[in-house]
Amino acid sequence: MAQPPLNALRAFEAVARIGSFRAAADSLFVTQPAVSHQIRHLEEWVGAPLFDRSGRVPVLLPRGASLARDLTMAFDAIDAACRRARPAVSDGALVVAAIPSVAICWLIPRLPRFRVQHPEIQLRVVYAHHGHDIDFATTDLAFTFGDSCPTGEGISSRPFLSGRSVPVASPALVGSAPAEPTSRWLLKVGLLHDSDPTGWRTWLSRAGQAVPVRLPGAIFEDFNLLRAAALAGQGVALCSLAMIKPDLAEGRLVPLSDIFVLEDFDYYLTQSGMVPMDAARRRARQAFLSWIEAEQAADAG
C-alpha cells in the first residue's frame, strides 16, 4: 500500500482540531477548496468517510475521531522533538499550554484583552493533552483537567474552573423536551458522548431514570467536537457549565436539568518553579497570572 498522504493528514488534523474547513484553511494559509480536496484524498486512501457532512458543521465519524486524536498527538510529538533539537533558539515568548476545551472556549476569545493590556508580551499558545505530562522545560503555564490537583517536584497548581457538567442541547431540540429529560426522550433525540463512557450512565442513575444496557450515540474524543455536535442540534451532550457559559448566555445551548455529574473534576492552572527564567520572563508570567485572576473576577461579578 502507498504511504499515507502527509499533506492530507495535516489538513485533516487541522479541520478536526478547529472544527471548520474554512478556519482550517486559514490556519494552513491555503484555500478552502484545497483543504476539501485533501480531505477527499485522505478518505479515498483510507477507503471510508471520516466526516459526517450532513449538517452545517462537519462532525467526525468514530473512525475519523480516532485518527484525529492519534494525529494530534503525533504532530505534537514531532513539534516537541524539533524544538528540543534546537534548545538554543528562543523567541522569548511566554508559552502557555492549554487543553483544547480551555483554549477554544475560554482562553482564545479573551486574548485580545490581554494583548491590549500587555502589548510588550509575546505569547505562544500550544495544546496540552489530557493524560499527558507537561514538559515545563518548554512550557511556562498549563491549563489541565483532572480529578485531582496536579502535583510533582516544584509544581504548583490551583483550581481554575469547575468541571461539573449537565445535559445541554440546542434550542431546536428543547421544544420537545419534558420538564426533566427521560431516558426515552434522550434516546429518541440522541445522546452525544465524550470519551468517558460512564458520564451518561451516572447522570441517568442520579436522575432516577432507567439506565439501558446499551446507550447508543456518537462518541467524540475532544470536548470541542462534542460541543460542536450539540450546537448543530445533533443530540444532547453532557457539557461543563464553565466551558459553555457564553453559549448559555447567548442562547446557543440550553441546560435541560440541574442534576450534574463530574463534580469531582476541575480545570487547573499549573506552573513549575524548577525551570530557571530571567526577570523579564518572570514578570511576563506574573502579568499573565494577574490577568487570568482579573478575568475570573469579572466573570464572578
Side-chain angles (χ1 to χ4, degrees):
M1 179 180 289
Q3 293 295 315
L6 296 182
N7 287 338
L9 290 173
R10 193 53 163 159
F12 167 76
E13 191 275 337
V15 174
R17 171 167 42 84
I18 299 172
S20 162
F21 277 68
R22 181 180 297 277
D26 291 341
S27 72
L28 296 173
F29 301 101
V30 298
T31 64
Q32 183 175 344
V35 169
S36 298
H37 172 75
Q38 293 287 4
I39 299 302
R40 287 195 299 271
H41 180 33
L42 180 60
E43 288 178 326
E44 289 173 0
W45 189 90
V46 171
L50 300 172
F51 287 101
D52 176 1
R53 297 179 176 85
S54 61
R56 292 179 301 158
V57 179
V59 176
L60 284 168
L61 297 170
R63 185 190 306 271
S66 177
L67 177 60
R69 182 184 65 252
D70 293 341
L71 283 178
T72 298
M73 291 190 291
F75 284 133
D76 283 351
I78 292 171
D79 181 72
C82 291
R83 293 184 185 282
R84 287 194 295 270
R86 53 172 192 168
V89 177
S90 174
D91 57 8
L94 185 73
V95 180
V96 178
I99 59 174
S101 55
V102 174
I104 299 298
C105 298
W106 196 94
L107 181 59
I108 291 176
R110 300 165 185 259
L111 282 183
R113 292 199 286 270
F114 178 78
R115 288 196 292 268
V116 168
Q117 295 178 28
H118 298 282
E120 78 285 0
I121 297 177
Q122 185 177 357
L123 193 67
R124 182 188 300 127
V125 179
V126 300
Y127 271 135
H129 293 284
H130 180 59
H132 292 259
D133 292 337
I134 303 296
D135 181 7
F136 282 105
T138 57
T139 303
D140 296 295
L141 294 162
F143 293 93
T144 60
F145 180 74
D147 58 358
S148 61
C149 192
T151 59
E153 185 178 3
I155 297 295
S156 61
S157 303
R158 69 172 179 84
F160 169 60
L161 293 172
S162 171
R164 65 179 192 166
S165 304
V166 299
V168 298
S170 72
L173 294 182
V174 173
S176 64
E180 189 72 28
T182 63
S183 298
R184 182 178 180 181
W185 181 82
L186 288 168
L187 293 175
K188 178 181 177 182
V189 299
L191 295 177
L192 304 176
H193 304 269
D194 62 13
S195 56
D196 179 6
T198 65
W200 271 115
R201 293 189 179 280
T202 301
W203 188 89
L204 289 168
S205 177
R206 291 182 178 180
Q209 296 293 323
V211 183
V213 175
R214 178 177 174 271
L215 289 177
I219 300 172
F220 300 89
E221 295 289 343
D222 173 78
F223 175 83
N224 292 319
L225 302 177
L226 178 72
R227 171 177 168 264
L231 288 168
Q234 296 182 11
V236 183
L238 289 170
C239 289
S240 163
L241 289 170
M243 285 297 102
I244 60 169
K245 188 174 182 180
D247 296 323
L248 298 177
E250 296 178 21
R252 294 188 295 266
L253 290 175
V254 179
L256 302 180
S257 172
D258 57 4
I259 299 172
F260 55 83
V261 294
L262 295 178
E263 69 274 22
D264 295 330
F265 283 75
D266 288 300
Y267 297 88
Y268 293 93
L269 181 55
T270 304
Q271 60 182 308
S272 172
M274 300 293 289
V275 179
M277 61 175 58
D278 58 28
R281 202 173 192 83
R282 282 196 298 272
R283 287 195 298 270
R285 184 170 70 177
Q286 186 54 53
F288 189 81
L289 289 170
S290 297
W291 173 75
I292 291 292
E293 291 174 358
E295 288 289 317
Q296 289 185 283
D299 286 349

